[in-house]
Amino acid sequence: MEEGFALWANPSSPHAEGRKARAALEDARERIKAALSWDGELIFTSGASEAAALALHNAEAGARLVSTVEHDCVVQAAKDAERLFVMADGALDMENLVEAAARERPLVAVQYVNSEIGNRQDIEAIRDTVGAQNRILLVDCAQSAGKWTLPDCDMAMISAHKFGGPIGIGALLVKDYAMLKPSGGQERGYRRGTENLPGALGMAAALEACADPYVAPEILEPFDVLAQDCRQLGGTWLSDRLSDPTPYIRAIAMPNMSATAQVMRFDMAGIAVSQGSACSSGTMKTSRVLEAMQVEPEIAANTIRVSVGWNTTRAEIERFCEVWLDLAEPK
């Protein structure tokens, strides 16, 4: 990012400094595509929320079909979309999908890894179900890019800060520009606003620094012990119910303490957790994702979300487990 600030000029300007900035921006674009193994197009945005709005508002498609467990940015960008139901294990209801997808060129929006419970959707099965032709498959990869290989889809949305990059930069990946209506003067005419060169360079650097695996397995081991303790104490380890749980997001229900109270108690202990998704946790409402999965209200009300980042340490996870047990054990 320091390099980007030193180079800064408007990448859309025709003068020498602008051309130098443009060359750096295009280099970052190609580096990001290479790191993601994406052979289509890439439109820089301010993050995944803008990418979602860009795709859902401007896709050359018919009916918008959005699952009931999507991130708020997708739901808000497609308020009138037809909803796709999920099963109790978080997986998309394929029978419902078959019926809903029988529309003229639908756009199907599905989150690869859910931001609240960590469940991963079977994108290959979803793609095969809606068919390879006459549809657009938009996948929210904000929680998976840099951690998992991108799934085979027509469009994908990513956000740099989810894999250790800077805030305020993301992208909409598109297989073909023909899938989108032009909507601005920058980014080949598909987005308005001066390009964020420092952010783009920081995003490329972060993706290239992502390790495989994203977090070493030994760092996550304390969670396995906590899972057993959670079950024995009458709590609910939501991963037990999921069709394909992933290791970086855990949803845990504590017996006899609301999620609201837990968030405050953990905060007092210097530990940051959320109730539902971080963008809506300030409302302290029960997660609509858990409601869509038909999780029992008493369990949903006591469920917190724990996310692990690239720089999370084993000691930090051990500390979380220690505090969780202290709060959960009968006094």
Side-chain angles (χ1 to χ4, degrees), residues 5-203:
F5 283 118
L7 282 171
W8 172 247
N10 189 331
S12 296
S13 296
H15 50 60
E17 294 303 311
R19 295 196 303 273
K20 186 185 297 184
R22 168 60 63 182
L25 183 73
E26 295 309 316
D27 180 63
R29 194 189 312 272
E30 293 305 314
R31 288 165 58 196
I32 293 168
K33 288 167 56 177
L36 293 170
S37 299
W38 181 259
D39 59 3
E41 309 295 346
L42 185 153
I43 301 169
F44 284 116
T45 66
S46 61
S49 293
E50 185 191 350
L54 190 63
L56 288 160
H57 293 165
N58 298 311
E60 294 280 12
R64 271 56 171 167
L65 311 178
V66 173
S67 92
T68 53
V69 294
E70 294 307 296
H71 190 276
D72 280 354
C73 73
V74 173
V75 173
Q76 291 300 315
K79 292 181 178 179
D80 298 326
E82 184 173 344
R83 300 295 180 231
L84 301 171
F85 301 113
V86 297
M87 311 291 281
D89 61 3
L92 205 63
D93 184 332
M94 291 301 183
E95 291 185 7
N96 173 233
L97 177 61
V98 169
E99 181 180 348
R103 306 285 191 274
E104 181 62 28
R105 192 170 172 77
L107 182 150
V108 179
V110 180
Q111 192 174 36
Y112 190 22
V113 175
N114 188 270
S115 57
E116 295 187 31
I117 57 174
N119 193 57
R120 184 167 53 174
Q121 296 288 353
D122 187 342
I123 301 300
E124 182 177 355
I126 292 170
R127 187 191 66 238
D128 292 344
T129 299
V130 298
Q133 303 296 325
N134 199 38
R135 61 95 175 101
I136 294 179
L137 179 58
L138 167 65
V139 180
D140 177 359
C141 294
Q143 292 288 354
S144 59
K147 307 174 183 73
W148 306 99
T149 301
L150 288 181
D152 184 5
C153 57
D154 301 302
M155 298 184 188
M157 32 195 275
I158 62 174
S159 194
H161 72 271
K162 295 295 186 182
F163 47 78
I167 58 171
I169 185 75
L172 176 65
L173 309 177
V174 186
K175 274 195 173 178
D176 191 329
Y177 281 133
M179 294 177 175
L180 279 180
K181 299 174 185 175
S183 60
Q186 284 77 24
E187 290 298 284
R188 276 77 166 174
Y190 288 90
R191 190 244 181 184
R192 296 186 185 279
T194 303
E195 295 95 336
N196 181 355
L197 175 60
L201 291 174
M203 183 177 179

Side-chain angles (χ1 to χ4, degrees), residues 89-90 112-114 117-121 148 237-251:
D89 61 3
Y112 190 22
V113 175
N114 188 270
I117 57 174
N119 193 57
R120 184 167 53 174
Q121 296 288 353
W148 306 99
W237 195 259
L238 265 293
S239 292
D240 293 340
R241 301 186 175 197
L242 303 180
S243 61
D244 189 7
T246 54
Y248 310 121
I249 299 174
R250 312 292 177 114

